[in-house]
Amino acid sequence: MGGERKVYTLAEVSQHNNAKDCWLIIEGKVYDVTKFLEDHPGGDEVLLSATGKDASDDFEDVGHSSSARAMMDELYVGDVDTSTIPTKTKYTPPKQPQYEQDKTSDFVIKLLQFLVPLLILGLAFGVRFYTKSPA
């Protein structure tokens, strides 16, 4: 890693996105992982899917060993111009539909339409049972 460091844009690094020429951006550094694709324990698809973007989070989420981190020095080709990497956007959940209280009142009305006749019927049987005189 001696000498002057080469600085690449995201667009330049993104062109290296296949199994014959694969570069990744991790922590602001550019790595040519082409010769490592076949040996990667997670398979080549994992690395190929991380091309064209900042793969730092992907790399850290896996929890690589210190030997894997040391191996990165051999694959280093330069730095990335961080101004060419889009800023991470904060997740904004989709808007939820407004709660409609009209549906709640419809439910209460239907429930009352069912319960009130039952209560009247029960009251009629109760009154008839208690007012019946013993013979």
Side-chain angles (χ1 to χ4, degrees), residues 22-85:
C22 183
W23 289 14
L24 297 180
I25 300 170
I26 301 172
E27 300 297 332
K29 295 182 179 182
V30 180
Y31 299 93
D32 181 352
V33 296
T34 309
K35 64 183 180 183
F36 184 63
L37 287 174
E38 290 182 15
D39 298 328
H40 187 260
D44 62 348
E45 286 299 317
V46 174
L47 297 176
L48 290 169
S49 69
T51 60
K53 64 177 184 172
D54 182 352
S56 301
D57 289 341
D58 296 340
F59 181 80
E60 293 300 331
D61 287 347
V62 174
H64 287 87
S65 65
S66 56
S67 61
R69 291 177 188 278
M71 189 183 301
M72 292 173 62
D73 289 340
E74 301 169 20
L75 306 175
Y76 175 81
V77 293
D79 293 325
V80 68
D81 180 356
T82 54
S83 68
T84 64
I85 298 176

Side-chain angles (χ1 to χ4, degrees), residues 1-130:
M1 279 199 315
E4 194 172 311
R5 293 183 178 179
K6 174 83 171 136
V7 178
Y8 299 93
T9 65
L10 176 63
E12 289 172 320
V13 176
S14 296
Q15 293 173 359
H16 305 271
N17 60 3
N18 59 65
K20 295 182 188 211
D21 185 22
C22 183
W23 289 14
L24 297 180
I25 300 170
I26 301 172
E27 300 297 332
K29 295 182 179 182
V30 180
Y31 299 93
D32 181 352
V33 296
T34 309
K35 64 183 180 183
F36 184 63
L37 287 174
E38 290 182 15
D39 298 328
H40 187 260
D44 62 348
E45 286 299 317
V46 174
L47 297 176
L48 290 169
S49 69
T51 60
K53 64 177 184 172
D54 182 352
S56 301
D57 289 341
D58 296 340
F59 181 80
E60 293 300 331
D61 287 347
V62 174
H64 287 87
S65 65
S66 56
S67 61
R69 291 177 188 278
M71 189 183 301
M72 292 173 62
D73 289 340
E74 301 169 20
L75 306 175
Y76 175 81
V77 293
D79 293 325
V80 68
D81 180 356
T82 54
S83 68
T84 64
I85 298 176
T87 57
K88 294 179 183 174
T89 56
K90 185 179 177 184
Y91 174 74
T92 306
K95 289 194 169 215
Q96 297 292 325
Q98 290 292 342
Y99 180 70
E100 295 181 27
Q101 292 183 343
D102 293 342
K103 290 182 179 179
T104 303
S105 62
D106 287 346
F107 173 75
V108 170
I109 290 171
K110 287 182 181 181
L111 185 64
L112 288 174
Q113 286 175 339
F114 176 74
L115 291 177
V116 168
L118 283 178
L119 289 172
I120 292 171
L121 187 60
L123 184 62
F125 278 116
V127 169
R128 184 168 184 214
F129 178 75
Y130 285 113

